[in-house]
Amino acid sequence: MPTPKGHPPYNVNGEGGRPKKYTPEFIEKEADAFEEWMRDPKSLWYEDFASSRGYSPKLLSMWGKENERFSEVYEKAQFWQKSLLLRGGL
């Protein structure tokens, strides 16, 4: 649907569609917060990080595919989680 006459285009981020809710800067800040969260001994399940921050855990995977920094932290979180589960099970 075209924009109304005299209205600025909706294409805000150069890709069409509505603007992205989560910017690359926001995702990188979340990567830092995610890493910090893993250092807390009370943190057990990495999906709790997402829910405590107010978004779906599915976004963690999506951001890992879009953002190199978040990808590193997300991969680290997966190994961290596996280690917690194995040590807790033994």
Side-chain angles (χ1 to χ4, degrees), residues 33-48:
F34 196 8
E35 227 171 10
E36 186 65 35
W37 181 85
M38 284 189 285
R39 290 187 191 110
D40 183 352
K42 295 179 206 162
S43 301
L44 297 173
W45 186 244
Y46 68 85
E47 289 185 356
D48 284 343

Side-chain angles (χ1 to χ4, degrees), residues 1-80:
M1 179 175 182
T3 58
K5 195 172 192 173
H7 191 281
Y10 296 129
N11 186 359
V12 178
N13 60 7
E15 299 172 1
R18 69 178 186 189
K20 288 189 175 190
K21 184 175 179 179
Y22 302 111
T23 64
E25 295 81 19
F26 175 83
I27 294 170
E28 296 212 4
K29 285 181 184 176
E30 287 301 286
D32 294 337
F34 196 8
E35 227 171 10
E36 186 65 35
W37 181 85
M38 284 189 285
R39 290 187 191 110
D40 183 352
K42 295 179 206 162
S43 301
L44 297 173
W45 186 244
Y46 68 85
E47 289 185 356
D48 284 343
F49 170 76
S51 59
S52 73
R53 305 288 282 188
Y55 47 77
S56 168
K58 291 179 182 182
L59 285 174
L60 300 176
S61 174
M62 192 171 82
W63 291 344
K65 293 174 186 170
E66 296 179 1
N67 184 289
E68 188 175 333
R69 167 80 174 111
F70 199 90
S71 177
E72 292 170 10
V73 175
Y74 184 58
E75 187 174 331
K76 181 179 175 180
Q78 290 174 324
F79 286 114
W80 167 81

